[in-house]
Structures are given as structure tokens and as C-alpha cells.
Amino acid sequence: LTAIKGLTKWLAENQKLPRDPLASVRKPNPKADRRRERRMILPDEWQWLRLTTTQSPNRYGMTGTARALLYETAIQTGMRSSELRSLRPGHIHLDRKPPAIRVCAGTTKDGKTAYQIIKPETAQELRDYLRLKAPTTPLFPMPPASDVVDMVRFDLKAARAAWIAEAKHDDPDEYERRQKGDYLLYENHEGHKVDFHALRHTFITNLARSGVHPKTAQTLARHSTITLTMDRYTHTVLEDQADAISGLPDLTATPGV
């Protein structure tokens, strides 16, 4: 846009055009003009999603166990949908210290091979899962890209239904509150969505909430700039804001008291 505006301005100034047709066009604000705002999956929400998805039947060609492990891997590594789709059992290096998943250069956004470290607990789950996998088959038999969002939406809906149902017979007030809340909704009341890429957002946000240095978070996220890590992806939840404010001086205290 900058280059085009420069050309039309030059043409107008040199009387090649009667006027500059782009003079009134302003550079878009990437923060205000985003077409899709995402939110993180809170730790408690993840527990519900993991439990209900693992226990659910096959959907979109994947077992409940496979879908839950796919979501878990995405949240723990920040890997993109296309990267996860490309994985084969040979890309899982469980005997490394620490264990890691190798993402090949042909599928990464920056064109470089990456090793995404995973926690021992997830490594053990992958070890059990791999026992049933042939070496050349996809690690996760993901559906077409257009169906991945629906798959996540379906599993979120099932998790939310289970969470609401838990309070139905024990606490009528809590049951009503849960029905009106945003918990586990695909799209909350502010329009923020939990699509598949939101799992990557959750990874980055969890790093920030854990006190990871921004530069380390940028490396783990494989972002080209620190701005992408801290501005586009990091979400601060209200609890973190409240904790930060609680540490400020008390401006209402009486001197000497």
C-alpha cells in the first residue's frame, strides 16, 4: 500500500493524474482491523476439554484420544495446524533429553527445521499412542483444513455441555450462572474465538503467565520479531491484571497509621 500511494502521489504531483486517488486512504491499524480475535483456553477449560474429548466417539476421522492428544500437543508446542498435519512417528524424538518433536523445514513458516521440546508427561502419552502407529502414517490423521475448525467447535460444545450438566442437580443458581457464562464457548460475548490457531495463542500466553523471558518466548514461538510474540499473541487474563494492581501502593492510607 505504501509503494502504491507513493506512485499515485508522484503521478499527481507531476500532472500525470488530475488528482491523487489514494490521498484519503489511511494505513490500516492491525490491532483495530483484525478479522478474527482469538482468546486462550484457560487451564480449567483445558481439563474439561481434554476429559470429554478423550471419552467421546470418533469425529472427523479421529478418535477421541487422538483429538485430545492433538490439542494437547498444539497447546504445549505452539505448532501450527499445517506443521502438526505433516508429522510422522519418526518426527517424535522421545529418547532425547529433553524429549522433542522435529518440525521439518518444508512445513515451517520460516523454512527452518525446528525441535519443539515437550514435557515428560506428554512424551509418555505420545509413546503409548505411537505403539499403534506405522512409521510412515500421519501422526494425527487430521481432517481437511476446512473441517478442523468445526472439529474444535464440536469438542468445545461437548465439554461445555458436560460442565453445565455437572451443576444441574446440585446447585440451581450455579447451573443458571454457567448457562449464561463464556466458559468453553467457541465465541465469547466479546467476539473472541477459540479456533484451532487459538491453541497456539494459548501456548504463547501460558509462557508469558509462567514468567518466561520474552526473548525465550519468541524463540519457542519461532516468531521473526518480538512484537509478534508480545503484541499479537499474548493475552493477559483479568486475574493477572488484578494481581499486578494489588502490588501498587495504597493511596488511601493515612500517614503514620
Side-chain angles (χ1 to χ4, degrees):
L1 178 59
T2 301
I4 294 173
K5 288 190 69 177
L7 176 60
T8 57
K9 182 180 180 181
W10 182 88
L11 291 172
E13 290 175 348
N14 289 273
Q15 299 181 346
K16 305 295 183 180
L17 289 174
R19 65 181 182 84
D20 182 359
L22 297 181
S24 61
V25 176
R26 296 291 179 264
K27 186 177 180 180
N29 183 341
K31 295 181 180 180
D33 298 333
R34 288 182 196 158
R35 288 174 293 178
R36 182 182 294 267
E37 287 284 354
R38 297 178 175 93
R39 70 174 183 88
M40 72 174 292
I41 296 179
L42 297 172
D44 287 347
E45 289 181 305
W46 164 243
Q47 294 302 326
W48 277 99
L49 179 61
R50 180 176 183 270
L51 176 64
T52 56
T53 301
T54 301
Q55 297 176 346
S56 67
N58 287 19
R59 289 190 184 124
Y60 296 92
M62 297 184 69
T63 66
T65 298
R67 297 197 312 276
L69 189 53
L70 169 65
Y71 302 155
E72 179 179 341
T73 304
I75 289 175
Q76 190 176 134
T77 66
M79 291 172 63
R80 300 171 177 89
S81 177
S82 59
E83 295 170 341
L84 290 160
R85 188 184 300 278
S86 72
L87 292 179
R88 299 295 183 270
H91 297 144
I92 314 302
H93 299 273
L94 300 178
D95 295 326
R96 283 174 56 107
K97 294 187 182 298
I101 298 175
R102 175 167 50 91
V103 193
C104 295
T107 60
T108 58
K109 196 171 183 179
D110 61 4
K112 300 177 182 179
T113 296
Y115 284 85
Q116 293 296 120
I117 296 172
I118 55 177
K119 297 185 71 172
E121 298 84 358
T122 300
Q124 184 57 52
E125 289 184 339
L126 283 168
R127 191 183 301 275
D128 296 338
Y129 178 73
L130 285 170
R131 290 174 183 158
L132 304 176
K133 286 287 181 181
T136 58
T137 58
L139 181 65
F140 298 114
M142 296 171 64
S146 58
D147 290 336
V148 170
V149 173
D150 290 337
M151 183 175 74
V152 174
R153 192 198 310 255
F154 220 105
D155 286 330
L156 280 169
K157 184 177 181 180
R160 177 175 168 82
W163 171 70
I164 291 175
E166 182 190 51
K168 185 172 185 179
H169 301 294
D170 298 332
D171 187 338
D173 292 337
E174 174 65 10
Y175 177 66
E176 183 177 356
R177 185 189 68 81
R178 291 188 181 190
Q179 288 181 308
K180 296 178 180 179
D182 284 341
Y183 198 80
L184 286 167
L185 277 179
Y186 169 75
E187 181 175 354
N188 65 20
H189 289 88
E190 295 180 350
H192 298 170
K193 295 180 173 63
V194 180
D195 57 9
F196 194 87
H197 200 68
L199 305 180
R200 176 170 167 81
H201 283 233
T202 301
F203 167 67
I204 305 298
T205 306
N206 283 338
L207 289 176
R209 296 182 73 193
S210 299
V212 171
H213 191 279
K215 196 64 180 177
T216 302
Q218 178 191 350
T219 300
L220 290 170
R222 293 177 282 126
H223 281 152
S224 58
T225 68
I226 193 66
T227 302
L228 282 172
T229 307
M230 302 308 295
D231 188 38
R232 280 190 61 188
Y233 284 88
T234 301
H235 304 276
T236 305
V237 296
L238 290 176
E239 291 90 337
D240 293 338
Q241 296 179 12
D243 289 343
I245 295 300
S246 67
L248 295 176
D250 183 0
L251 303 182
T252 64
T254 303
V257 179

PDB file of all heavy atoms in Angstrom, residues 22 33 49 59 61 75 79 83 85 88 90 94 117 125 131 144 162-163 168 173-175 184 190 198 213 230 235:
ATOM      1  N   LEU A  22      -5.558   8.174  -4.022  1.00  0.00           N
ATOM      2  CA  LEU A  22      -5.353   7.495  -2.746  1.00  0.00           C
ATOM      3  C   LEU A  22      -4.982   8.450  -1.616  1.00  0.00           C
ATOM      4  O   LEU A  22      -4.545   8.020  -0.555  1.00  0.00           O
ATOM      5  CB  LEU A  22      -4.248   6.438  -2.896  1.00  0.00           C
ATOM      6  CG  LEU A  22      -4.531   5.294  -3.879  1.00  0.00           C
ATOM      7  CD1 LEU A  22      -3.354   4.323  -3.892  1.00  0.00           C
ATOM      8  CD2 LEU A  22      -5.812   4.557  -3.519  1.00  0.00           C
ATOM      9  N   ASP A  33      -8.141  -3.628  13.067  1.00  0.00           N
ATOM     10  CA  ASP A  33      -8.750  -4.173  11.864  1.00  0.00           C
ATOM     11  C   ASP A  33      -8.650  -5.688  11.740  1.00  0.00           C
ATOM     12  O   ASP A  33      -8.881  -6.242  10.686  1.00  0.00           O
ATOM     13  CB  ASP A  33      -8.085  -3.541  10.626  1.00  0.00           C
ATOM     14  CG  ASP A  33      -8.296  -2.044  10.582  1.00  0.00           C
ATOM     15  OD1 ASP A  33      -9.308  -1.601  11.140  1.00  0.00           O
ATOM     16  OD2 ASP A  33      -7.449  -1.339  10.008  1.00  0.00           O
ATOM     17  N   LEU A  49     -12.052 -29.892  28.449  1.00  0.00           N
ATOM     18  CA  LEU A  49     -11.948 -30.248  27.029  1.00  0.00           C
ATOM     19  C   LEU A  49     -11.209 -31.568  26.860  1.00  0.00           C
ATOM     20  O   LEU A  49     -11.619 -32.431  26.075  1.00  0.00           O
ATOM     21  CB  LEU A  49     -11.238 -29.137  26.265  1.00  0.00           C
ATOM     22  CG  LEU A  49     -11.020 -29.366  24.759  1.00  0.00           C
ATOM     23  CD1 LEU A  49     -12.353 -29.529  24.034  1.00  0.00           C
ATOM     24  CD2 LEU A  49     -10.219 -28.222  24.148  1.00  0.00           C
ATOM     25  N   ARG A  59     -14.790 -38.562  15.592  1.00  0.00           N
ATOM     26  CA  ARG A  59     -15.340 -37.426  14.861  1.00  0.00           C
ATOM     27  C   ARG A  59     -14.330 -37.010  13.804  1.00  0.00           C
ATOM     28  O   ARG A  59     -13.130 -36.953  14.087  1.00  0.00           O
ATOM     29  CB  ARG A  59     -15.626 -36.237  15.785  1.00  0.00           C
ATOM     30  CG  ARG A  59     -16.810 -36.437  16.729  1.00  0.00           C
ATOM     31  CD  ARG A  59     -17.178 -35.139  17.427  1.00  0.00           C
ATOM     32  NE  ARG A  59     -18.246 -35.351  18.392  1.00  0.00           N
ATOM     33  CZ  ARG A  59     -18.178 -35.035  19.674  1.00  0.00           C
ATOM     34  NH1 ARG A  59     -17.086 -34.477  20.145  1.00  0.00           N
ATOM     35  NH2 ARG A  59     -19.178 -35.258  20.481  1.00  0.00           N
ATOM     36  N   GLY A  61     -13.003 -38.496  11.450  1.00  0.00           N
ATOM     37  CA  GLY A  61     -11.984 -39.489  11.164  1.00  0.00           C
ATOM     38  C   GLY A  61     -10.929 -39.658  12.243  1.00  0.00           C
ATOM     39  O   GLY A  61      -9.931 -40.351  12.033  1.00  0.00           O
ATOM     40  N   ILE A  75      -1.148 -27.116  22.170  1.00  0.00           N
ATOM     41  CA  ILE A  75      -1.063 -26.174  23.289  1.00  0.00           C
ATOM     42  C   ILE A  75       0.323 -26.174  23.900  1.00  0.00           C
ATOM     43  O   ILE A  75       0.834 -25.146  24.336  1.00  0.00           O
ATOM     44  CB  ILE A  75      -2.126 -26.503  24.351  1.00  0.00           C
ATOM     45  CG1 ILE A  75      -3.529 -26.155  23.833  1.00  0.00           C
ATOM     46  CG2 ILE A  75      -1.863 -25.749  25.652  1.00  0.00           C
ATOM     47  CD1 ILE A  75      -4.644 -26.554  24.769  1.00  0.00           C
ATOM     48  N   MET A  79       2.731 -25.453  17.857  1.00  0.00           N
ATOM     49  CA  MET A  79       2.857 -25.811  16.448  1.00  0.00           C
ATOM     50  C   MET A  79       1.592 -25.447  15.690  1.00  0.00           C
ATOM     51  O   MET A  79       0.482 -25.556  16.210  1.00  0.00           O
ATOM     52  CB  MET A  79       3.158 -27.305  16.298  1.00  0.00           C
ATOM     53  CG  MET A  79       4.540 -27.681  16.789  1.00  0.00           C
ATOM     54  SD  MET A  79       4.809 -29.477  16.828  1.00  0.00           S
ATOM     55  CE  MET A  79       4.663 -29.849  15.081  1.00  0.00           C
ATOM     56  N   GLU A  83       1.852 -27.732  10.381  1.00  0.00           N
ATOM     57  CA  GLU A  83       3.009 -28.437  10.924  1.00  0.00           C
ATOM     58  C   GLU A  83       2.591 -29.730  11.595  1.00  0.00           C
ATOM     59  O   GLU A  83       3.236 -30.776  11.415  1.00  0.00           O
ATOM     60  CB  GLU A  83       3.749 -27.529  11.904  1.00  0.00           C
ATOM     61  CG  GLU A  83       4.356 -26.294  11.245  1.00  0.00           C
ATOM     62  CD  GLU A  83       4.870 -25.277  12.242  1.00  0.00           C
ATOM     63  OE1 GLU A  83       4.468 -25.329  13.423  1.00  0.00           O
ATOM     64  OE2 GLU A  83       5.674 -24.417  11.837  1.00  0.00           O
ATOM     65  N   ARG A  85      -0.066 -31.434  10.939  1.00  0.00           N
ATOM     66  CA  ARG A  85      -0.568 -32.324   9.892  1.00  0.00           C
ATOM     67  C   ARG A  85       0.579 -33.080   9.205  1.00  0.00           C
ATOM     68  O   ARG A  85       0.394 -34.195   8.727  1.00  0.00           O
ATOM     69  CB  ARG A  85      -1.352 -31.510   8.857  1.00  0.00           C
ATOM     70  CG  ARG A  85      -2.085 -32.345   7.823  1.00  0.00           C
ATOM     71  CD  ARG A  85      -2.738 -31.433   6.788  1.00  0.00           C
ATOM     72  NE  ARG A  85      -3.689 -30.524   7.409  1.00  0.00           N
ATOM     73  CZ  ARG A  85      -4.939 -30.851   7.712  1.00  0.00           C
ATOM     74  NH1 ARG A  85      -5.383 -32.060   7.429  1.00  0.00           N
ATOM     75  NH2 ARG A  85      -5.744 -29.974   8.274  1.00  0.00           N
ATOM     76  N   ARG A  88       5.044 -37.283  11.266  1.00  0.00           N
ATOM     77  CA  ARG A  88       5.045 -38.741  11.188  1.00  0.00           C
ATOM     78  C   ARG A  88       5.687 -39.270  12.467  1.00  0.00           C
ATOM     79  O   ARG A  88       6.399 -38.532  13.162  1.00  0.00           O
ATOM     80  CB  ARG A  88       5.823 -39.226   9.962  1.00  0.00           C
ATOM     81  CG  ARG A  88       5.260 -38.749   8.614  1.00  0.00           C
ATOM     82  CD  ARG A  88       3.878 -39.328   8.347  1.00  0.00           C
ATOM     83  NE  ARG A  88       3.338 -38.946   7.037  1.00  0.00           N
ATOM     84  CZ  ARG A  88       2.606 -37.880   6.802  1.00  0.00           C
ATOM     85  NH1 ARG A  88       2.327 -37.042   7.808  1.00  0.00           N
ATOM     86  NH2 ARG A  88       2.123 -37.621   5.599  1.00  0.00           N
ATOM     87  N   GLY A  90       8.265 -40.837  12.990  1.00  0.00           N
ATOM     88  CA  GLY A  90       9.706 -40.624  13.003  1.00  0.00           C
ATOM     89  C   GLY A  90      10.124 -39.231  13.424  1.00  0.00           C
ATOM     90  O   GLY A  90      11.311 -38.994  13.701  1.00  0.00           O
ATOM     91  N   LEU A  94      11.543 -39.197  21.425  1.00  0.00           N
ATOM     92  CA  LEU A  94      11.230 -39.343  22.843  1.00  0.00           C
ATOM     93  C   LEU A  94      12.447 -39.707  23.685  1.00  0.00           C
ATOM     94  O   LEU A  94      12.404 -39.601  24.913  1.00  0.00           O
ATOM     95  CB  LEU A  94      10.138 -40.405  23.023  1.00  0.00           C
ATOM     96  CG  LEU A  94       8.816 -40.100  22.311  1.00  0.00           C
ATOM     97  CD1 LEU A  94       7.824 -41.235  22.514  1.00  0.00           C
ATOM     98  CD2 LEU A  94       8.230 -38.788  22.806  1.00  0.00           C
ATOM     99  N   ILE A 117      10.393 -28.711  22.187  1.00  0.00           N
ATOM    100  CA  ILE A 117      10.523 -29.518  23.399  1.00  0.00           C
ATOM    101  C   ILE A 117       9.151 -29.801  23.989  1.00  0.00           C
ATOM    102  O   ILE A 117       8.259 -28.944  23.970  1.00  0.00           O
ATOM    103  CB  ILE A 117      11.411 -28.784  24.421  1.00  0.00           C
ATOM    104  CG1 ILE A 117      12.823 -28.639  23.861  1.00  0.00           C
ATOM    105  CG2 ILE A 117      11.438 -29.508  25.760  1.00  0.00           C
ATOM    106  CD1 ILE A 117      13.733 -27.769  24.702  1.00  0.00           C
ATOM    107  N   GLU A 125       2.573 -39.982  26.950  1.00  0.00           N
ATOM    108  CA  GLU A 125       1.307 -40.179  26.237  1.00  0.00           C
ATOM    109  C   GLU A 125       1.566 -40.451  24.753  1.00  0.00           C
ATOM    110  O   GLU A 125       0.915 -41.306  24.143  1.00  0.00           O
ATOM    111  CB  GLU A 125       0.412 -38.951  26.411  1.00  0.00           C
ATOM    112  CG  GLU A 125      -0.142 -38.798  27.817  1.00  0.00           C
ATOM    113  CD  GLU A 125      -1.110 -37.630  27.923  1.00  0.00           C
ATOM    114  OE1 GLU A 125      -1.053 -36.726  27.061  1.00  0.00           O
ATOM    115  OE2 GLU A 125      -1.929 -37.630  28.849  1.00  0.00           O
ATOM    116  N   ARG A 131       2.540 -46.671  19.746  1.00  0.00           N
ATOM    117  CA  ARG A 131       2.602 -48.132  19.658  1.00  0.00           C
ATOM    118  C   ARG A 131       1.660 -48.687  18.598  1.00  0.00           C
ATOM    119  O   ARG A 131       1.868 -49.774  18.068  1.00  0.00           O
ATOM    120  CB  ARG A 131       2.270 -48.750  21.018  1.00  0.00           C
ATOM    121  CG  ARG A 131       3.354 -48.533  22.066  1.00  0.00           C
ATOM    122  CD  ARG A 131       2.927 -49.029  23.421  1.00  0.00           C
ATOM    123  NE  ARG A 131       3.953 -48.745  24.427  1.00  0.00           N
ATOM    124  CZ  ARG A 131       3.717 -48.676  25.726  1.00  0.00           C
ATOM    125  NH1 ARG A 131       2.483 -48.862  26.193  1.00  0.00           N
ATOM    126  NH2 ARG A 131       4.706 -48.423  26.571  1.00  0.00           N
ATOM    127  N   PRO A 144      -9.624 -32.404   6.591  1.00  0.00           N
ATOM    128  CA  PRO A 144      -9.279 -31.238   5.772  1.00  0.00           C
ATOM    129  C   PRO A 144      -9.316 -29.956   6.600  1.00  0.00           C
ATOM    130  O   PRO A 144     -10.055 -29.854   7.593  1.00  0.00           O
ATOM    131  CB  PRO A 144     -10.359 -31.242   4.687  1.00  0.00           C
ATOM    132  CG  PRO A 144     -10.789 -32.667   4.594  1.00  0.00           C
ATOM    133  CD  PRO A 144     -10.691 -33.216   5.985  1.00  0.00           C
ATOM    134  N   ALA A 162     -21.029 -30.768  29.254  1.00  0.00           N
ATOM    135  CA  ALA A 162     -20.705 -31.588  30.423  1.00  0.00           C
ATOM    136  C   ALA A 162     -20.470 -30.720  31.648  1.00  0.00           C
ATOM    137  O   ALA A 162     -20.894 -31.066  32.766  1.00  0.00           O
ATOM    138  CB  ALA A 162     -19.472 -32.431  30.120  1.00  0.00           C
ATOM    139  N   TRP A 163     -19.799 -29.589  31.452  1.00  0.00           N
ATOM    140  CA  TRP A 163     -19.534 -28.677  32.560  1.00  0.00           C
ATOM    141  C   TRP A 163     -20.831 -28.095  33.112  1.00  0.00           C
ATOM    142  O   TRP A 163     -21.018 -28.004  34.336  1.00  0.00           O
ATOM    143  CB  TRP A 163     -18.604 -27.568  32.073  1.00  0.00           C
ATOM    144  CG  TRP A 163     -18.416 -26.433  33.031  1.00  0.00           C
ATOM    145  CD1 TRP A 163     -17.736 -26.458  34.215  1.00  0.00           C
ATOM    146  CD2 TRP A 163     -18.921 -25.093  32.878  1.00  0.00           C
ATOM    147  NE1 TRP A 163     -17.768 -25.224  34.808  1.00  0.00           N
ATOM    148  CE2 TRP A 163     -18.489 -24.371  34.009  1.00  0.00           C
ATOM    149  CE3 TRP A 163     -19.658 -24.450  31.891  1.00  0.00           C
ATOM    150  CZ2 TRP A 163     -18.797 -23.034  34.181  1.00  0.00           C
ATOM    151  CZ3 TRP A 163     -19.962 -23.111  32.064  1.00  0.00           C
ATOM    152  CH2 TRP A 163     -19.544 -22.419  33.200  1.00  0.00           C
ATOM    153  N   LYS A 168     -26.329 -29.164  37.375  1.00  0.00           N
ATOM    154  CA  LYS A 168     -27.777 -29.161  37.165  1.00  0.00           C
ATOM    155  C   LYS A 168     -28.556 -29.629  38.385  1.00  0.00           C
ATOM    156  O   LYS A 168     -29.584 -29.029  38.746  1.00  0.00           O
ATOM    157  CB  LYS A 168     -28.128 -30.031  35.966  1.00  0.00           C
ATOM    158  CG  LYS A 168     -29.603 -29.991  35.600  1.00  0.00           C
ATOM    159  CD  LYS A 168     -29.867 -30.715  34.290  1.00  0.00           C
ATOM    160  CE  LYS A 168     -31.326 -30.568  33.885  1.00  0.00           C
ATOM    161  NZ  LYS A 168     -31.595 -31.263  32.585  1.00  0.00           N
ATOM    162  N   ASP A 173     -28.661 -22.228  41.199  1.00  0.00           N
ATOM    163  CA  ASP A 173     -28.100 -20.908  40.890  1.00  0.00           C
ATOM    164  C   ASP A 173     -26.825 -21.043  40.067  1.00  0.00           C
ATOM    165  O   ASP A 173     -26.598 -20.286  39.104  1.00  0.00           O
ATOM    166  CB  ASP A 173     -27.811 -20.143  42.180  1.00  0.00           C
ATOM    167  CG  ASP A 173     -29.087 -19.755  42.920  1.00  0.00           C
ATOM    168  OD1 ASP A 173     -30.152 -19.678  42.258  1.00  0.00           O
ATOM    169  OD2 ASP A 173     -29.018 -19.551  44.143  1.00  0.00           O
ATOM    170  N   GLU A 174     -25.993 -21.990  40.448  1.00  0.00           N
ATOM    171  CA  GLU A 174     -24.756 -22.211  39.707  1.00  0.00           C
ATOM    172  C   GLU A 174     -25.047 -22.729  38.299  1.00  0.00           C
ATOM    173  O   GLU A 174     -24.381 -22.367  37.334  1.00  0.00           O
ATOM    174  CB  GLU A 174     -23.866 -23.211  40.458  1.00  0.00           C
ATOM    175  CG  GLU A 174     -22.615 -23.648  39.723  1.00  0.00           C
ATOM    176  CD  GLU A 174     -21.617 -22.523  39.484  1.00  0.00           C
ATOM    177  OE1 GLU A 174     -21.784 -21.421  40.052  1.00  0.00           O
ATOM    178  OE2 GLU A 174     -20.656 -22.750  38.718  1.00  0.00           O
ATOM    179  N   TYR A 175     -26.061 -23.563  38.196  1.00  0.00           N
ATOM    180  CA  TYR A 175     -26.463 -24.096  36.885  1.00  0.00           C
ATOM    181  C   TYR A 175     -26.887 -22.962  35.952  1.00  0.00           C
ATOM    182  O   TYR A 175     -26.475 -22.912  34.784  1.00  0.00           O
ATOM    183  CB  TYR A 175     -27.616 -25.074  37.078  1.00  0.00           C
ATOM    184  CG  TYR A 175     -28.180 -25.653  35.800  1.00  0.00           C
ATOM    185  CD1 TYR A 175     -27.420 -26.487  34.990  1.00  0.00           C
ATOM    186  CD2 TYR A 175     -29.487 -25.360  35.410  1.00  0.00           C
ATOM    187  CE1 TYR A 175     -27.936 -27.018  33.821  1.00  0.00           C
ATOM    188  CE2 TYR A 175     -30.009 -25.888  34.242  1.00  0.00           C
ATOM    189  CZ  TYR A 175     -29.238 -26.717  33.456  1.00  0.00           C
ATOM    190  OH  TYR A 175     -29.750 -27.244  32.294  1.00  0.00           O
ATOM    191  N   LEU A 184     -15.822 -22.074  28.030  1.00  0.00           N
ATOM    192  CA  LEU A 184     -15.789 -23.105  26.994  1.00  0.00           C
ATOM    193  C   LEU A 184     -16.616 -22.771  25.752  1.00  0.00           C
ATOM    194  O   LEU A 184     -16.838 -23.637  24.907  1.00  0.00           O
ATOM    195  CB  LEU A 184     -16.226 -24.475  27.547  1.00  0.00           C
ATOM    196  CG  LEU A 184     -15.202 -25.176  28.448  1.00  0.00           C
ATOM    197  CD1 LEU A 184     -15.852 -26.337  29.184  1.00  0.00           C
ATOM    198  CD2 LEU A 184     -14.005 -25.654  27.641  1.00  0.00           C
ATOM    199  N   GLU A 190     -17.533 -11.155  23.739  1.00  0.00           N
ATOM    200  CA  GLU A 190     -16.744 -10.086  23.132  1.00  0.00           C
ATOM    201  C   GLU A 190     -16.343 -10.413  21.703  1.00  0.00           C
ATOM    202  O   GLU A 190     -15.665  -9.623  21.039  1.00  0.00           O
ATOM    203  CB  GLU A 190     -15.489  -9.821  23.969  1.00  0.00           C
ATOM    204  CG  GLU A 190     -15.786  -9.276  25.362  1.00  0.00           C
ATOM    205  CD  GLU A 190     -14.520  -9.025  26.160  1.00  0.00           C
ATOM    206  OE1 GLU A 190     -13.433  -9.460  25.688  1.00  0.00           O
ATOM    207  OE2 GLU A 190     -14.597  -8.399  27.220  1.00  0.00           O
ATOM    208  N   ALA A 198      -6.118 -20.802  18.027  1.00  0.00           N
ATOM    209  CA  ALA A 198      -6.145 -20.306  19.400  1.00  0.00           C
ATOM    210  C   ALA A 198      -5.332 -21.206  20.322  1.00  0.00           C
ATOM    211  O   ALA A 198      -4.916 -20.761  21.404  1.00  0.00           O
ATOM    212  CB  ALA A 198      -7.585 -20.205  19.897  1.00  0.00           C
ATOM    213  N   HIS A 213      11.001 -15.357  29.950  1.00  0.00           N
ATOM    214  CA  HIS A 213      11.533 -14.124  29.366  1.00  0.00           C
ATOM    215  C   HIS A 213      10.992 -13.958  27.948  1.00  0.00           C
ATOM    216  O   HIS A 213      10.906 -14.939  27.191  1.00  0.00           O
ATOM    217  CB  HIS A 213      13.060 -14.177  29.325  1.00  0.00           C
ATOM    218  CG  HIS A 213      13.699 -12.870  28.980  1.00  0.00           C
ATOM    219  ND1 HIS A 213      13.815 -12.421  27.673  1.00  0.00           N
ATOM    220  CD2 HIS A 213      14.238 -11.905  29.774  1.00  0.00           C
ATOM    221  CE1 HIS A 213      14.400 -11.237  27.674  1.00  0.00           C
ATOM    222  NE2 HIS A 213      14.673 -10.903  28.933  1.00  0.00           N
ATOM    223  N   MET A 230       4.736 -10.631  21.763  1.00  0.00           N
ATOM    224  CA  MET A 230       4.159  -9.922  22.885  1.00  0.00           C
ATOM    225  C   MET A 230       2.901  -9.130  22.542  1.00  0.00           C
ATOM    226  O   MET A 230       2.039  -8.948  23.387  1.00  0.00           O
ATOM    227  CB  MET A 230       5.201  -8.962  23.485  1.00  0.00           C
ATOM    228  CG  MET A 230       6.478  -9.665  23.948  1.00  0.00           C
ATOM    229  SD  MET A 230       6.158 -11.060  25.060  1.00  0.00           S
ATOM    230  CE  MET A 230       5.448 -10.206  26.457  1.00  0.00           C
ATOM    231  N   HIS A 235      -2.077 -12.788  25.624  1.00  0.00           N
ATOM    232  CA  HIS A 235      -3.318 -12.323  26.245  1.00  0.00           C
ATOM    233  C   HIS A 235      -3.132 -12.326  27.758  1.00  0.00           C
ATOM    234  O   HIS A 235      -2.620 -13.285  28.320  1.00  0.00           O
ATOM    235  CB  HIS A 235      -4.483 -13.246  25.897  1.00  0.00           C
ATOM    236  CG  HIS A 235      -4.683 -13.414  24.436  1.00  0.00           C
ATOM    237  ND1 HIS A 235      -5.404 -12.537  23.666  1.00  0.00           N
ATOM    238  CD2 HIS A 235      -4.237 -14.366  23.576  1.00  0.00           C
ATOM    239  CE1 HIS A 235      -5.412 -12.945  22.410  1.00  0.00           C
ATOM    240  NE2 HIS A 235      -4.711 -14.044  22.333  1.00  0.00           N
TER     241      HIS A 235
END
